[in-house]
Amino acid sequence: RYLTSVPKARVLLALSAVVLAATFISPGGQAGGASVPALAINAITAAPLDAVAGLAGKPVDQVLKDLQSAGIPAERGDQTLGALVAGDREKVGRALSVLFAKPAG
């Protein structure tokens, strides 16, 4: 009763409602945006293989060999996985499996 009878309290309630409503609005107008795994895959495929090698914990030469063994024509560390697979999702999956496979042993 007090909160609805005092003008300052009404303003506080209205402001709280506006702030609460604002938390449900997506920034940048992105309704639903990309999922976190999709963002991670996009970042990995856009990065040079030199950087991906560091992320995979392997030397660049090993990354190049692993990709070649998976049928992906990697030759240099400055190439990106995205350029090598040209949007082929099956190849992306194969490449990520090879790159981030745990070493045998």
Side-chain angles (χ1 to χ4, degrees), residues 40-53 55 77-83:
I41 290 171
N42 290 342
I44 290 169
T45 58
L49 293 176
D50 293 330
V52 175
L55 186 63
D78 64 343
Q79 294 175 295
T80 66
L81 190 55

Side-chain angles (χ1 to χ4, degrees), residues 12-28:
L12 181 61
L13 283 174
L15 184 61
S16 298
V18 169
V19 169
L20 180 61
T23 63
F24 291 101
I25 298 171
S26 295

Side-chain angles (χ1 to χ4, degrees), residues 54-88:
L55 186 63
K58 298 178 179 181
V60 177
D61 292 338
Q62 183 64 47
V63 165
L64 296 175
K65 287 177 189 174
D66 290 347
L67 289 172
Q68 289 168 358
S69 71
I72 298 164
E75 298 175 0
R76 300 181 323 271
D78 64 343
Q79 294 175 295
T80 66
L81 190 55
L84 293 171
V85 300
D88 185 334

